[in-house]
Amino acid sequence: FYGVLLGVRQGGATSKLFLNSVLNSCTRYGPALGNQSAIITMFYVSFHGLISMIRGEEDVANAAAAGTMAGAFYKVAGRSWQPMAKYAAVSGMAFTGLDTLARNGYI
């Protein structure tokens, strides 16, 4: 989706150049976003299993903690704490929301 928006914004003089711009942007940014999402999800699944095993319970708090830890762990090697905090907050909210939707049968 991000690549499509960048390609549309970049545009082209003709319809063929416009389509080429959109396709180039999709193939440039799509794999990187997919890899990043896969790594954060792998961290989330690992932390969620570990937290569930330690606590002995399966509830939304596990998803919130695991999501926050996954985002923070993904950006822990950065030079500043701000990107790590942003990734932790966004992934914590995203995984908690997805877990809540799954528990209520919406997905």
XYZ file of all heavy atoms in Angstrom:
792
model
N 0.819 -1.189 0.000
C 0.000 0.000 0.000
C 0.867 1.259 0.000
O 0.565 2.214 -0.685
C -0.944 -0.034 1.202
C -1.934 1.078 1.208
C -2.977 1.088 0.310
C -1.815 2.114 2.095
C -3.891 2.119 0.312
C -2.720 3.141 2.122
C -3.766 3.147 1.218
N 1.961 1.209 0.778
C 2.863 2.356 0.856
C 3.521 2.608 -0.492
O 3.649 3.749 -0.936
C 3.905 2.105 1.940
C 4.911 3.214 2.102
C 4.528 4.447 2.585
C 6.246 3.021 1.776
C 5.443 5.468 2.745
C 7.165 4.031 1.919
C 6.765 5.248 2.409
O 7.679 6.251 2.547
N 3.940 1.534 -1.176
C 4.552 1.668 -2.489
C 3.592 2.223 -3.522
O 3.980 3.003 -4.378
N 2.321 1.814 -3.430
C 1.316 2.337 -4.360
C 1.161 3.843 -4.170
O 1.120 4.605 -5.143
C -0.036 1.616 -4.163
C -1.122 2.286 -4.971
C 0.077 0.158 -4.526
N 1.088 4.282 -2.937
C 0.938 5.719 -2.675
C 2.131 6.517 -3.185
O 1.960 7.596 -3.767
C 0.745 5.964 -1.179
C -0.559 5.449 -0.580
C -0.586 5.708 0.917
C -1.748 6.110 -1.249
N 3.332 5.993 -2.989
C 4.511 6.699 -3.491
C 4.536 6.722 -5.010
O 4.918 7.730 -5.612
C 5.786 6.048 -2.957
C 6.078 6.276 -1.485
C 7.342 5.545 -1.082
C 6.220 7.748 -1.186
N 4.135 5.632 -5.651
C 4.100 5.594 -7.101
C 3.077 6.548 -7.670
O 3.319 7.210 -8.684
N 1.912 6.639 -7.028
C 0.874 7.569 -7.477
C 1.350 9.003 -7.298
O 1.138 9.859 -8.153
C -0.445 7.308 -6.720
C -1.443 8.429 -6.953
C -1.036 5.973 -7.139
N 2.006 9.270 -6.191
C 2.503 10.624 -5.940
C 3.589 11.017 -6.943
O 3.636 12.146 -7.401
C 3.053 10.720 -4.521
C 3.421 12.137 -4.132
C 3.909 12.212 -2.728
N 5.276 11.685 -2.726
C 5.997 11.492 -1.652
N 5.484 11.747 -0.471
N 7.201 11.027 -1.728
N 4.435 10.054 -7.292
C 5.511 10.327 -8.234
C 4.960 10.552 -9.635
O 5.417 11.431 -10.348
C 6.496 9.169 -8.225
C 7.820 9.462 -8.816
C 8.770 8.300 -8.594
O 8.346 7.164 -8.452
N 10.043 8.604 -8.561
N 3.992 9.739 -10.013
C 3.300 9.934 -11.285
C 4.148 9.643 -12.502
O 5.248 9.115 -12.418
N 3.606 9.988 -13.666
C 4.293 9.793 -14.932
C 3.617 10.632 -16.003
O 2.452 11.007 -15.888
N 4.334 10.915 -17.080
C 3.813 11.771 -18.145
C 2.710 11.076 -18.938
O 1.751 11.708 -19.366
C 4.945 12.190 -19.073
N 2.835 9.776 -19.148
C 1.819 9.019 -19.877
C 1.257 7.940 -18.954
O 1.778 7.712 -17.857
C 2.417 8.355 -21.132
O 3.377 7.377 -20.723
C 3.065 9.387 -22.048
N 0.221 7.267 -19.408
C -0.381 6.225 -18.571
C 0.574 5.054 -18.377
O 0.600 4.439 -17.303
C -1.695 5.738 -19.186
O -1.469 5.168 -20.462
N 1.386 4.747 -19.391
C 2.354 3.654 -19.250
C 3.445 4.014 -18.240
O 3.862 3.188 -17.435
C 2.985 3.305 -20.594
C 2.045 2.574 -21.525
C 2.754 2.167 -22.790
C 1.799 1.417 -23.690
N 2.462 0.952 -24.906
N 3.926 5.242 -18.284
C 4.938 5.676 -17.315
C 4.357 5.747 -15.904
O 5.047 5.458 -14.925
C 5.514 7.033 -17.718
C 6.403 7.037 -18.957
C 6.800 8.457 -19.316
C 7.621 6.167 -18.747
N 3.099 6.137 -15.802
C 2.433 6.182 -14.500
C 2.340 4.776 -13.914
O 2.663 4.548 -12.749
C 1.043 6.805 -14.643
C 0.274 6.878 -13.363
C 0.566 7.855 -12.428
C -0.721 5.964 -13.077
C -0.126 7.934 -11.234
C -1.418 6.015 -11.893
C -1.123 7.011 -10.972
N 1.895 3.808 -14.711
C 1.803 2.423 -14.257
C 3.176 1.880 -13.889
O 3.325 1.194 -12.879
C 1.154 1.558 -15.340
C 1.001 0.078 -15.021
C 0.103 -0.111 -13.794
C 0.459 -0.668 -16.211
N 4.174 2.208 -14.684
C 5.540 1.777 -14.394
C 6.029 2.358 -13.069
O 6.690 1.672 -12.284
C 6.470 2.185 -15.537
C 7.826 1.552 -15.416
O 7.967 0.485 -14.829
N 8.826 2.205 -15.977
N 5.702 3.597 -12.797
C 6.094 4.234 -11.546
C 5.452 3.544 -10.348
O 6.104 3.289 -9.336
C 5.694 5.710 -11.571
O 5.881 6.308 -10.332
N 4.174 3.209 -10.470
C 3.475 2.524 -9.379
C 4.067 1.141 -9.151
O 4.332 0.740 -8.010
C 1.961 2.445 -9.674
C 1.258 1.548 -8.674
C 1.343 3.829 -9.659
N 4.300 0.402 -10.217
C 4.850 -0.950 -10.078
C 6.268 -0.929 -9.507
O 6.623 -1.765 -8.670
C 4.824 -1.667 -11.425
C 3.440 -2.014 -11.958
C 3.540 -2.603 -13.355
C 2.724 -2.968 -11.026
N 7.078 0.017 -9.955
C 8.438 0.122 -9.423
C 8.427 0.444 -7.932
O 9.224 -0.110 -7.160
C 9.231 1.183 -10.176
C 9.675 0.707 -11.535
O 9.680 -0.488 -11.818
N 10.035 1.644 -12.391
N 7.556 1.328 -7.513
C 7.481 1.677 -6.092
C 6.999 0.494 -5.258
O 7.474 0.283 -4.145
C 6.552 2.874 -5.887
O 7.099 4.014 -6.481
N 6.053 -0.268 -5.798
C 5.558 -1.449 -5.065
C 6.658 -2.476 -4.863
O 6.801 -3.046 -3.784
C 4.395 -2.091 -5.803
S 2.873 -1.163 -5.723
N 7.435 -2.714 -5.916
C 8.484 -3.728 -5.788
C 9.682 -3.222 -5.003
O 10.481 -4.018 -4.518
C 8.949 -4.203 -7.177
O 9.427 -3.087 -7.928
C 7.822 -4.888 -7.919
N 9.808 -1.920 -4.843
C 10.917 -1.371 -4.074
C 10.631 -1.408 -2.566
O 11.500 -1.736 -1.771
C 11.190 0.068 -4.493
C 12.380 0.682 -3.782
C 12.676 2.098 -4.220
N 12.812 2.181 -5.670
C 12.145 3.049 -6.424
N 11.320 3.905 -5.874
N 12.316 3.076 -7.723
N 9.404 -1.082 -2.169
C 9.102 -0.947 -0.751
C 8.333 -2.134 -0.173
O 8.332 -2.342 1.033
C 8.302 0.337 -0.499
C 9.099 1.572 -0.817
C 8.852 2.296 -1.973
C 10.114 1.994 0.020
C 9.588 3.418 -2.278
C 10.858 3.112 -0.280
C 10.586 3.821 -1.430
O 11.332 4.933 -1.729
N 7.671 -2.913 -1.001
C 6.868 -4.034 -0.526
C 7.660 -5.105 0.203
O 7.300 -5.511 1.316
N 8.759 -5.615 -0.382
C 9.517 -6.664 0.303
C 10.104 -6.220 1.638
O 10.124 -6.991 2.596
C 10.619 -7.004 -0.697
C 10.068 -6.625 -2.017
C 9.222 -5.418 -1.748
N 10.568 -4.991 1.716
C 11.143 -4.511 2.978
C 10.078 -4.447 4.070
O 10.326 -4.849 5.213
C 11.775 -3.133 2.781
N 8.895 -3.969 3.722
C 7.803 -3.910 4.697
C 7.356 -5.302 5.111
O 7.080 -5.558 6.276
C 6.633 -3.118 4.120
C 5.457 -2.876 5.045
C 5.894 -2.067 6.252
C 4.343 -2.156 4.301
N 7.319 -6.224 4.151
C 6.950 -7.602 4.455
C 7.960 -8.276 5.376
O 7.580 -8.981 6.318
N 9.246 -8.069 5.126
C 10.276 -8.651 5.983
C 10.220 -8.074 7.396
O 10.350 -8.800 8.383
C 11.660 -8.420 5.385
C 11.907 -9.266 4.169
O 11.271 -10.294 3.970
N 12.825 -8.838 3.334
N 10.037 -6.771 7.489
C 9.948 -6.132 8.796
C 8.749 -6.669 9.580
O 8.868 -6.981 10.762
C 9.827 -4.625 8.609
C 9.724 -3.846 9.877
C 9.586 -2.351 9.612
O 9.442 -1.909 8.478
N 9.634 -1.572 10.654
N 7.623 -6.785 8.921
C 6.426 -7.313 9.581
C 6.626 -8.756 10.023
O 6.188 -9.152 11.106
C 5.222 -7.232 8.637
O 4.980 -5.910 8.270
N 7.281 -9.543 9.192
C 7.516 -10.949 9.537
C 8.433 -11.084 10.749
O 8.195 -11.926 11.627
C 8.109 -11.689 8.343
N 9.456 -10.267 10.824
C 10.391 -10.342 11.954
C 9.698 -9.925 13.246
O 9.838 -10.587 14.282
C 11.631 -9.469 11.679
C 12.458 -10.095 10.560
C 12.475 -9.304 12.933
C 13.542 -9.197 10.035
N 8.945 -8.833 13.211
C 8.239 -8.384 14.414
C 7.209 -9.431 14.836
O 7.041 -9.706 16.031
C 7.596 -7.006 14.188
C 8.692 -5.943 14.064
C 6.657 -6.637 15.324
C 8.189 -4.565 13.733
N 6.524 -10.055 13.871
C 5.552 -11.093 14.205
C 6.236 -12.312 14.815
O 5.716 -12.915 15.763
C 4.757 -11.503 12.949
O 4.113 -10.336 12.436
C 3.721 -12.550 13.274
N 7.404 -12.664 14.309
C 8.156 -13.782 14.887
C 8.539 -13.482 16.339
O 8.417 -14.342 17.217
C 9.410 -14.059 14.063
C 10.215 -15.245 14.543
S 11.711 -15.500 13.598
C 12.632 -14.019 13.987
N 8.993 -12.271 16.593
C 9.310 -11.878 17.964
C 8.054 -11.926 18.842
O 8.100 -12.386 19.982
C 9.905 -10.465 18.023
C 11.301 -10.358 17.490
C 11.755 -9.158 16.970
C 12.167 -11.427 17.504
C 13.040 -9.033 16.480
C 13.459 -11.323 17.020
C 13.897 -10.114 16.506
N 6.928 -11.446 18.300
C 5.676 -11.443 19.056
C 5.261 -12.857 19.443
O 4.913 -13.113 20.597
C 4.558 -10.777 18.245
C 3.192 -11.015 18.832
C 2.778 -10.311 19.951
C 2.330 -11.961 18.293
C 1.533 -10.540 20.515
C 1.096 -12.190 18.843
C 0.697 -11.482 19.954
O -0.530 -11.723 20.507
N 5.297 -13.776 18.497
C 4.884 -15.155 18.779
C 5.795 -15.779 19.835
O 5.321 -16.474 20.747
C 4.874 -15.981 17.471
C 4.710 -17.455 17.752
C 3.784 -15.485 16.549
N 7.084 -15.519 19.737
C 8.025 -16.055 20.729
C 7.761 -15.489 22.121
O 7.689 -16.239 23.104
C 9.460 -15.742 20.316
O 9.745 -16.297 19.062
N 7.626 -14.170 22.201
C 7.374 -13.546 23.505
C 6.002 -13.928 24.058
O 5.852 -14.127 25.266
C 7.490 -12.020 23.412
C 8.897 -11.523 23.304
C 9.238 -10.578 22.347
C 9.887 -11.979 24.145
C 10.531 -10.110 22.241
C 11.184 -11.521 24.051
C 11.510 -10.584 23.089
N 5.007 -14.055 23.200
C 3.668 -14.422 23.662
C 3.672 -15.824 24.254
O 3.078 -16.061 25.312
C 2.675 -14.326 22.503
C 1.255 -14.450 22.923
N 0.621 -15.662 23.017
C 0.350 -13.521 23.286
C -0.625 -15.473 23.423
N -0.810 -14.170 23.587
N 4.349 -16.756 23.589
C 4.451 -18.110 24.124
C 5.203 -18.150 25.446
O 4.803 -18.855 26.378
N 6.279 -17.398 25.536
C 7.069 -17.358 26.767
C 6.282 -16.742 27.914
O 6.263 -17.284 29.034
C 8.356 -16.573 26.518
C 9.340 -16.490 27.667
C 9.912 -17.881 27.964
C 10.458 -15.527 27.334
N 5.605 -15.641 27.656
C 4.820 -14.977 28.702
C 3.658 -15.861 29.146
O 3.369 -15.968 30.337
C 4.327 -13.591 28.210
C 5.510 -12.632 28.058
C 3.309 -13.002 29.166
C 5.160 -11.345 27.353
N 3.001 -16.518 28.182
C 1.887 -17.410 28.529
C 2.368 -18.570 29.379
O 1.690 -18.989 30.325
C 1.215 -17.948 27.264
O 0.636 -16.908 26.535
N 3.541 -19.102 29.051
C 4.091 -20.216 29.822
C 4.462 -19.775 31.245
O 4.182 -20.480 32.214
C 5.328 -20.776 29.118
C 5.894 -22.031 29.756
S 7.299 -22.674 28.863
C 8.509 -21.384 29.096
N 5.044 -18.611 31.385
C 5.459 -18.119 32.700
C 4.244 -17.769 33.555
O 4.179 -18.152 34.734
C 6.389 -16.896 32.550
C 7.729 -17.340 31.973
C 6.595 -16.199 33.886
C 8.644 -16.193 31.592
N 3.284 -17.059 32.977
C 2.109 -16.632 33.741
C 1.106 -17.751 33.966
O 0.334 -17.716 34.924
C 1.402 -15.474 33.031
C 2.188 -14.183 33.082
C 1.386 -13.041 32.521
N 0.231 -12.778 33.360
C -0.961 -12.439 32.895
N -1.171 -12.343 31.601
N -1.958 -12.202 33.713
N 1.055 -18.681 33.046
C 0.084 -19.758 33.156
C -1.327 -19.334 32.792
O -2.284 -20.034 33.095
N -1.470 -18.197 32.151
C -2.779 -17.689 31.744
C -2.724 -17.278 30.281
O -1.660 -16.981 29.746
C -3.179 -16.467 32.578
C -3.443 -16.777 34.029
C -3.907 -15.555 34.789
O -4.486 -14.655 34.148
O -3.671 -15.497 35.991
N -3.895 -17.254 29.664
C -4.005 -16.830 28.268
C -5.023 -15.701 28.207
O -6.227 -15.930 28.165
C -4.446 -18.017 27.404
C -4.534 -17.732 25.940
C -3.187 -17.423 25.307
O -2.172 -18.017 25.719
O -3.163 -16.563 24.415
N -4.533 -14.465 28.237
C -5.436 -13.319 28.204
C -4.839 -12.193 27.373
O -3.778 -12.346 26.782
C -5.785 -12.849 29.622
C -4.561 -12.472 30.438
O -3.430 -12.596 29.928
O -4.743 -12.043 31.587
N -5.528 -11.065 27.327
C -5.122 -9.935 26.487
C -3.838 -9.285 27.015
O -3.074 -8.710 26.241
C -6.272 -8.904 26.392
C -5.879 -7.715 25.545
C -7.512 -9.557 25.811
N -3.579 -9.400 28.293
C -2.361 -8.812 28.852
C -1.114 -9.450 28.248
O -0.097 -8.770 28.045
C -2.350 -8.969 30.372
N -1.198 -10.733 27.941
C -0.063 -11.392 27.289
C 0.205 -10.777 25.913
O 1.351 -10.561 25.539
C -0.335 -12.885 27.121
C -0.406 -13.612 28.433
O -0.133 -13.068 29.476
N -0.803 -14.872 28.369
N -0.856 -10.512 25.170
C -0.705 -9.922 23.840
C -0.125 -8.512 23.931
O 0.741 -8.145 23.129
C -2.042 -9.897 23.122
N -0.585 -7.737 24.884
C -0.078 -6.367 25.033
C 1.405 -6.372 25.398
O 2.200 -5.629 24.812
C -0.884 -5.630 26.096
N 1.770 -7.208 26.357
C 3.170 -7.267 26.779
C 4.059 -7.814 25.662
O 5.146 -7.280 25.394
C 3.295 -8.129 28.028
N 3.607 -8.869 24.994
C 4.410 -9.470 23.932
C 4.553 -8.524 22.743
O 5.634 -8.430 22.148
C 3.780 -10.786 23.479
N 3.494 -7.806 22.387
C 3.576 -6.852 21.293
C 4.523 -5.710 21.597
O 5.322 -5.304 20.745
N 4.451 -5.208 22.816
C 5.351 -4.124 23.215
C 6.797 -4.599 23.228
O 7.694 -3.908 22.739
C 4.945 -3.598 24.605
O 3.580 -3.184 24.541
C 5.812 -2.437 25.027
N 7.022 -5.785 23.761
C 8.383 -6.321 23.787
C 8.909 -6.604 22.384
O 10.096 -6.387 22.107
C 8.418 -7.594 24.633
C 8.243 -7.349 26.113
S 8.050 -8.860 27.064
C 9.623 -9.637 26.818
N 8.050 -7.077 21.488
C 8.480 -7.377 20.120
C 8.921 -6.110 19.397
O 9.961 -6.097 18.729
C 7.356 -8.055 19.355
N 8.153 -5.039 19.515
C 8.530 -3.784 18.877
C 9.799 -3.201 19.456
O 10.657 -2.700 18.729
N 9.935 -3.275 20.761
C 11.139 -2.754 21.408
C 12.356 -3.585 21.034
O 13.440 -3.045 20.768
C 10.956 -2.735 22.919
N 12.203 -4.894 20.994
C 13.318 -5.777 20.667
C 13.758 -5.594 19.217
O 14.936 -5.729 18.905
C 12.916 -7.232 20.926
C 14.069 -8.190 20.935
C 15.009 -8.165 21.946
C 14.208 -9.123 19.926
C 16.069 -9.045 21.953
C 15.258 -10.013 19.911
C 16.194 -9.973 20.931
N 12.813 -5.263 18.341
C 13.158 -5.052 16.940
C 14.064 -3.842 16.766
O 14.954 -3.834 15.929
C 11.883 -4.884 16.105
C 12.164 -4.675 14.641
C 12.572 -5.730 13.845
C 12.042 -3.420 14.064
C 12.849 -5.546 12.508
C 12.314 -3.226 12.725
C 12.716 -4.295 11.949
O 12.996 -4.099 10.627
N 13.857 -2.789 17.548
C 14.631 -1.560 17.399
C 15.617 -1.325 18.537
O 16.092 -0.211 18.728
C 13.690 -0.351 17.325
C 13.099 -0.140 15.966
C 14.175 0.247 14.986
C 13.608 0.511 13.627
N 14.615 0.870 12.653
N 15.961 -2.358 19.288
C 16.821 -2.172 20.451
C 18.248 -1.768 20.068
O 18.935 -1.110 20.845
C 16.823 -3.441 21.339
C 17.629 -4.553 20.717
C 17.315 -3.127 22.732
N 18.701 -2.091 18.883
C 20.073 -1.783 18.494
C 20.227 -0.362 17.950
O 21.322 0.018 17.546
C 20.556 -2.782 17.445
N 19.169 0.412 17.948
C 19.245 1.782 17.440
C 20.060 2.678 18.344
O 20.383 2.359 19.484
N 20.377 3.839 17.831
C 21.188 4.782 18.596
C 20.383 5.565 19.617
O 20.927 6.136 20.535
C 21.858 5.758 17.648
C 22.839 5.092 16.733
C 23.449 6.089 15.799
N 24.327 5.391 14.870
C 25.464 5.869 14.474
N 25.868 7.052 14.878
N 26.207 5.198 13.635
N 19.096 5.633 19.425
C 18.252 6.428 20.296
C 17.110 5.582 20.829
O 16.736 4.563 20.248
C 17.703 7.618 19.504
O 16.799 8.347 20.292
N 16.529 6.008 21.919
C 15.420 5.263 22.508
C 14.088 5.627 21.865
O 13.120 4.897 21.990
C 15.351 5.497 24.017
C 15.101 6.937 24.372
C 16.032 7.897 24.580
C 13.833 7.562 24.533
N 15.426 9.095 24.854
C 14.067 8.923 24.837
C 12.517 7.132 24.448
C 13.047 9.822 25.048
C 11.502 8.043 24.655
C 11.781 9.362 24.961
N 14.024 6.760 21.132
C 12.753 7.187 20.547
C 12.200 6.221 19.493
O 11.019 5.880 19.547
C 12.860 8.598 19.965
C 12.875 9.652 21.031
C 14.121 10.505 20.959
O 15.053 10.180 20.238
N 14.141 11.584 21.709
N 13.015 5.736 18.527
C 12.459 4.757 17.585
C 12.023 3.466 18.282
O 11.006 2.877 17.922
C 13.600 4.488 16.607
C 14.506 5.637 16.738
C 14.357 6.145 18.138
N 12.777 3.068 19.289
C 12.417 1.863 20.024
C 11.081 2.056 20.738
O 10.217 1.167 20.716
C 13.506 1.509 21.046
C 13.250 0.199 21.759
S 14.542 -0.273 22.911
C 14.295 0.896 24.216
N 10.864 3.214 21.325
C 9.597 3.493 22.010
C 8.439 3.553 21.022
O 7.348 3.056 21.309
C 9.708 4.799 22.789
N 8.674 4.140 19.858
C 7.615 4.217 18.840
C 7.230 2.830 18.346
O 6.045 2.500 18.239
C 8.066 5.085 17.665
C 8.138 6.554 18.001
C 8.664 7.345 16.828
C 8.870 8.804 17.201
N 9.459 9.579 16.112
N 8.219 2.017 18.017
C 7.938 0.659 17.555
C 7.254 -0.152 18.643
O 6.356 -0.952 18.368
C 9.222 -0.036 17.101
C 9.541 0.186 15.647
C 10.108 1.369 15.205
C 9.266 -0.799 14.711
C 10.405 1.574 13.878
C 9.563 -0.612 13.378
C 10.130 0.582 12.960
O 10.406 0.780 11.642
N 7.678 0.022 19.895
C 7.064 -0.712 21.005
C 5.605 -0.307 21.159
O 4.723 -1.169 21.316
C 7.832 -0.455 22.295
N 5.317 0.977 21.100
C 3.941 1.445 21.272
C 3.038 0.992 20.124
O 1.942 0.473 20.352
C 3.923 2.968 21.387
N 3.511 1.151 18.904
C 2.687 0.796 17.749
C 2.453 -0.708 17.678
O 1.332 -1.166 17.468
C 3.325 1.320 16.441
C 2.633 0.738 15.223
C 3.269 2.832 16.408
N 3.498 -1.498 17.883
C 3.300 -2.947 17.801
C 2.487 -3.465 18.985
O 1.702 -4.400 18.833
C 4.637 -3.689 17.695
O 5.375 -3.565 18.875
N 2.653 -2.856 20.147
C 1.830 -3.255 21.289
C 0.354 -3.008 21.032
O -0.485 -3.868 21.293
N 0.038 -1.834 20.479
C -1.366 -1.531 20.164
C -1.893 -2.424 19.044
O -3.022 -2.905 19.107
C -1.513 -0.060 19.786
C -1.382 0.888 20.958
S -1.716 2.600 20.531
C -0.300 3.021 19.555
N -1.076 -2.637 18.018
C -1.527 -3.440 16.874
C -1.795 -4.883 17.280
O -2.847 -5.450 16.944
C -0.485 -3.386 15.765
N -0.866 -5.485 18.011
C -1.047 -6.884 18.389
C -2.142 -7.058 19.437
O -2.846 -8.064 19.432
C 0.271 -7.496 18.879
C 1.205 -7.845 17.754
C 2.412 -7.186 17.613
C 0.870 -8.810 16.833
C 3.272 -7.499 16.580
C 1.723 -9.140 15.797
C 2.927 -8.472 15.673
N -2.307 -6.082 20.314
C -3.406 -6.152 21.278
C -4.747 -6.051 20.557
O -5.687 -6.797 20.857
C -3.288 -5.035 22.325
O -2.017 -5.152 22.978
C -4.383 -5.121 23.355
N -4.832 -5.141 19.586
C -6.062 -5.013 18.808
C -6.372 -6.273 18.018
O -7.521 -6.738 17.992
N -5.366 -6.842 17.371
C -5.584 -8.076 16.614
C -5.988 -9.229 17.531
O -6.852 -10.038 17.189
C -4.329 -8.436 15.828
C -4.024 -7.567 14.625
C -2.653 -7.892 14.055
C -5.096 -7.740 13.564
N -5.362 -9.308 18.702
C -5.709 -10.368 19.644
C -7.139 -10.213 20.144
O -7.877 -11.194 20.264
C -4.727 -10.352 20.822
C -4.932 -11.518 21.748
O -4.682 -12.659 21.320
O -5.357 -11.295 22.903
N -7.535 -8.988 20.423
C -8.907 -8.737 20.876
C -9.917 -9.091 19.791
O -10.950 -9.711 20.068
C -9.068 -7.263 21.290
O -8.122 -6.968 22.314
C -10.467 -6.983 21.795
N -9.609 -8.715 18.537
C -10.508 -9.058 17.432
C -10.603 -10.569 17.247
O -11.693 -11.103 17.002
C -10.022 -8.404 16.144
C -10.185 -6.894 16.044
C -9.518 -6.363 14.776
C -11.653 -6.500 16.082
N -9.497 -11.267 17.393
C -9.499 -12.723 17.244
C -10.262 -13.388 18.384
O -10.993 -14.370 18.160
C -8.071 -13.245 17.180
N -10.120 -12.886 19.593
C -10.828 -13.487 20.733
C -12.342 -13.288 20.640
O -13.099 -14.126 21.107
C -10.339 -12.853 22.044
C -8.988 -13.322 22.464
C -8.574 -12.643 23.763
N -7.198 -12.919 24.040
C -6.760 -14.051 24.595
N -7.611 -14.979 24.917
N -5.470 -14.232 24.816
N -12.767 -12.185 20.044
C -14.196 -11.918 19.914
C -14.798 -12.482 18.635
O -15.970 -12.272 18.363
C -14.454 -10.409 19.987
C -14.154 -9.864 21.373
O -14.277 -10.565 22.358
N -13.727 -8.622 21.421
N -13.989 -13.174 17.844
C -14.484 -13.853 16.671
C -14.667 -13.000 15.439
O -15.361 -13.390 14.506
N -14.046 -11.834 15.397
C -14.168 -10.969 14.228
C -13.199 -11.344 13.117
O -13.422 -11.034 11.962
C -13.989 -9.502 14.613
C -15.101 -8.997 15.495
C -14.844 -8.644 16.809
C -16.384 -8.894 15.022
C -15.847 -8.188 17.631
C -17.401 -8.437 15.818
C -17.128 -8.088 17.140
O -18.128 -7.645 17.942
N -12.095 -11.953 13.481
C -11.141 -12.436 12.455
C -10.756 -13.862 12.757
O -10.887 -14.360 13.812
C -9.876 -11.555 12.340
C -9.177 -11.419 13.682
C -10.215 -10.222 11.775
C -7.833 -10.740 13.600
